[in-house]
Amino acid sequence: MNFIRNHKVAAGLWTIIRVYIGYVWLTSGLGKIMGGEFDASGFLQGAIAQTGGEHPTVQAWWGAFLEAVALPNAELFTVLVMWGEVLVGIALILGLFTNFAALMGITMNFAFLFSGTVSTNAQMVLLTIFIIVAGANAGKYGVDRWVMPYMKHTWKNRKQKQNKTTLAA
């Protein structure tokens, strides 16, 4: 585990995987945005239709969520999917908020898998698990190298100021 989370060679490997996953997300999202024809309602209706029959590929609880929440808000979900893919892609490529971006990416992958797609989602889930397990080492060769220490320092200073204010009161 020390190798995965702290070793420089592992950080290089995670960088390659992280950039690859980011590229897949970015190109997928840009394709949807630039194509101008993406509409999540068709995908949602297809997933809902797969909840029935002798061998459903979508579980009933997920189909119920899609029918009650996602489909009535298909326009919102269209925007969330397109821009979510783009933003996750950019963040992973840059290594910016890497763990959060990976978490959002894996959440989208699971949503697609729950909806009955197979495509590359399972492969991306597996690779993303490695990125999440690697923790900060996955963003070591990225913008996180500077952003995360800055955020920790800023958070620590803010907390110290709040404690001083609380004690003075």
Side-chain angles (χ1 to χ4, degrees):
M1 195 60 154
N2 189 46
F3 175 79
I4 292 170
R5 296 184 68 98
N6 297 311
H7 202 278
K8 291 179 182 182
V9 172
L13 176 64
W14 304 139
T15 300
I16 293 167
I17 293 171
R18 187 192 79 224
V19 169
Y20 165 73
I21 296 170
Y23 174 79
V24 172
W25 279 121
L26 180 62
T27 56
S28 179
L30 286 176
K32 288 176 177 74
I33 291 170
M34 301 295 195
E37 296 178 16
F38 176 71
D39 179 10
S41 62
F43 176 81
L44 295 169
Q45 290 169 350
I48 293 166
Q50 294 179 51
T51 61
E54 205 169 303
H55 300 287
T57 56
V58 176
Q59 295 181 14
W61 67 270
W62 184 252
F65 165 77
L66 294 177
E67 193 168 20
V69 178
L71 191 57
N73 297 296
E75 288 181 26
L76 173 64
F77 278 82
T78 296
V79 172
L80 290 175
V81 168
M82 291 187 306
W83 287 102
E85 289 180 358
V86 168
L87 294 173
V88 164
I90 290 170
L92 287 173
I93 289 170
L94 295 176
L96 176 63
F97 304 120
T98 302
N99 288 340
F100 181 72
L103 181 63
M104 294 300 99
I106 204 168
T107 300
M108 284 191 292
N109 277 133
F110 276 120
F112 299 147
L113 286 169
F114 288 159
S115 299
T117 62
V118 272
S119 188
T120 60
N121 297 105
Q123 168 194 334
M124 289 179 65
V125 164
L126 181 62
L127 293 174
T128 304
I129 287 171
F130 288 119
I131 297 298
I132 292 171
V133 168
N137 207 27
K140 185 174 191 162
Y141 299 127
V143 179
D144 279 348
R145 180 180 212 149
W146 299 282
V147 170
M148 297 315 284
Y150 173 79
M151 302 247 326
K152 286 179 185 177
H153 176 74
T154 303
W155 185 262
K156 183 179 176 182
N157 285 345
R158 181 174 292 160
K159 203 163 190 149
Q160 286 175 346
K161 286 179 185 178
Q162 284 177 341
N163 287 343
K164 286 180 184 178
T165 304
T166 305
L167 292 175

